[in-house]
Amino acid sequence: MNQVDEIARSAPFNLSLVRAKLEELFELDPADELSVRLLAGGRSNLTFELASSGRKWILRRPPIGHRLETAHDMSREVAVQRALANSPVPVPRIVFADDDAGHAGGNYYVMDKIEGEVLRTDGDFAEVESTQRQPLSFAYIDCLSALHTRDHTALGLGTFGRPAGFLDRQVRRWTKQLTASKSRELPLLERLGRQLGEQVPASSQSAIVHGDFRFDNMIAQVADQPRIAAVLDWEMSTIGDPLTDLGLVHLFWSGWEGIDNPIAGTPSTHAAYPSFDELVERYASTTGFDVSELGWYSSFAFYKMAVILEGIHLRFINGETVGDGFENIGTMVQPLAERGVAALP
């Protein structure tokens, strides 16, 4: 029996209680079996597939062990996904949520499983037909544009975040997270945090921010007309400056190219995918947003990712991670800090 099988058999939540709730909501027939398995990926929150003979659901709960303050908030994911239901931004239906679940890290939720492909590795990006790569990429950036141009107040998210002073608070927050999650001395990363705080741009718009908008946080359906079927992993979502999302898109699309990276593939390294500049041009045209100070946002993205990975590295060395692929996470922190410093205007 491998590690994933062992985790599935002793899942860190009470499967009997979850099953009872599914039956209560007429989602699951009492006579049907319910299986559980840990899904690949999810180096932050734990993500499980629940399956009956004819249905599949996804259960998400916080990680085991050390957690960054304010991170891994399942209630945020639930709130924003419910608000975006039936909007141009595709999200799975929330089946139920429990905000006081001692058996599942405090809170968890269950949602429908959306079928499609998760493009996570360079191999995944390479398997997409060359003629489908541009339309799929444009569907990806158009989905971000759709998110950022939603009226969050009309969707009931008027108090979901505090857009005033958002960037200053973000720099302070991630600096505080770094202090809480360091396992070693990281002077360059600390310097980057100080420089970001000294050069915060004036934010001119506010929107729903996803906080981790990359291909392996969504379900793609790659066919004659490629589309994004669902956007997932909303734990960092808030109301704030939308260009923080675009800065992260830069990191995921091309910014970490050449860094030994076990997390996700880099689309720009494969032929026929648009350049990041092409995505920015399309995004700016669709949203009407000023992207002239994008360099700061890209630098902040490197900083934020480095802090997140340092927290994961701390959990790894403390023996608190679940699954494989964590042993090299810590080696990414220093090169990300270097690129963050280089990206500053």
Side-chain angles (χ1 to χ4, degrees):
M1 181 183 298
N2 61 34
Q3 184 180 10
V4 171
D5 289 334
E6 292 175 358
I7 294 296
R9 288 178 179 274
S10 57
F13 57 87
N14 189 319
L15 185 58
S16 296
L17 292 179
V18 173
R19 179 192 179 97
K21 187 65 176 179
L22 288 173
E23 291 180 6
E24 177 187 335
L25 294 172
F26 301 102
E27 295 277 326
L28 177 67
D29 189 302
D32 211 344
E33 293 186 2
L34 184 66
S35 64
V36 56
R37 68 184 180 99
L38 177 68
L39 295 183
R43 291 182 171 84
S44 179
N45 291 318
L46 299 182
T47 304
F48 296 85
E49 178 190 87
L50 308 175
S52 69
S53 59
R55 293 278 304 280
K56 291 181 180 178
W57 304 266
I58 296 296
L59 182 148
R60 277 172 61 79
R61 59 143 290 169
I64 299 168
H66 172 79
R67 302 180 199 171
L68 298 178
E69 184 182 352
T70 75
H72 316 297
D73 185 352
M74 301 291 93
S75 63
R76 297 196 70 78
E77 297 198 14
V78 171
V80 73
Q81 286 182 226
R82 283 176 170 162
L84 289 170
N86 303 314
S87 80
V89 183
V91 291
R93 178 182 66 101
I94 300 293
V95 177
F96 73 92
D98 189 337
D99 293 330
D100 187 23
H103 64 93
N107 59 6
Y108 75 101
Y109 69 94
V110 174
M111 62 183 173
D112 286 338
K113 182 177 182 182
I114 306 299
E115 297 300 331
E117 300 178 46
V118 175
L119 303 179
R120 177 171 292 115
T121 68
D122 282 312
D124 294 333
F125 289 115
E127 288 179 1
V128 176
E129 294 291 337
S130 60
T131 56
Q132 296 172 326
R133 294 178 183 182
Q134 184 188 67
L136 178 63
S137 303
F138 286 166
Y140 165 75
I141 200 66
D142 289 350
C143 189
L144 186 63
S145 298
L147 174 66
H148 289 168
T149 52
R150 294 306 94 203
D151 184 337
H152 57 275
T153 301
L155 291 175
L157 297 175
T159 60
F160 193 62
R162 293 179 294 148
F166 174 75
L167 294 180
D168 289 294
R169 288 197 310 276
Q170 281 288 295
V171 174
R172 292 197 302 270
R173 171 191 174 185
W174 290 102
T175 299
K176 183 179 180 181
Q177 305 286 40
L178 177 59
T179 300
S181 59
K182 279 197 311 178
S183 62
R184 52 197 166 159
E185 293 302 313
L186 297 166
L188 186 63
L189 189 58
E190 292 173 346
R191 171 187 154 194
L192 175 58
R194 290 192 298 270
Q195 290 179 307
L196 286 165
E198 293 165 357
Q199 301 179 38
V200 174
S203 180
S204 59
Q205 60 268 324
S206 60
I208 304 171
V209 172
H210 181 276
D212 199 16
F213 198 85
R214 64 187 194 219
F215 259 114
D216 64 331
N217 278 340
M218 54 196 66
I219 305 295
Q221 292 179 347
V222 183
D224 294 337
Q225 294 182 325
R227 70 185 189 97
I228 303 302
V231 181
L232 311 174
D233 293 8
W234 294 88
E235 67 170 291
M236 295 182 183
S237 60
T238 189
I239 306 300
D241 190 324
L243 295 188
T244 55
D245 272 344
L246 193 60
L248 278 168
V249 169
H250 172 231
L251 186 153
F252 303 139
W253 201 263
S254 59
W256 59 12
E257 180 178 346
I259 296 176
D260 185 13
N261 169 15
I263 298 173
T266 308
S268 68
T269 61
H270 303 276
Y273 285 97
S275 68
F276 177 66
D277 287 344
E278 290 177 86
L279 297 186
V280 171
E281 181 179 359
R282 188 176 178 95
Y283 173 90
S285 175
T286 303
T287 63
F289 294 163
D290 179 2
V291 296
S292 60
E293 295 187 271
L294 189 55
W296 185 93
Y297 295 90
S298 293
S299 179
F300 177 68
F302 285 114
Y303 180 65
K304 175 180 172 179
M305 180 58 66
V307 174
I308 291 171
L309 296 185
E310 181 64 15
I312 295 173
H313 175 65
L314 177 62
R315 293 206 302 275
F316 171 71
I317 63 177
N318 287 341
E320 296 171 341
T321 51
V322 175
D324 301 319
F326 296 95
E327 60 276 4
N328 295 323
I329 290 291
T331 65
M332 297 181 64
V333 174
Q334 181 68 14
L336 286 172
E338 294 170 358
R339 295 191 184 189
V341 170
L344 276 173

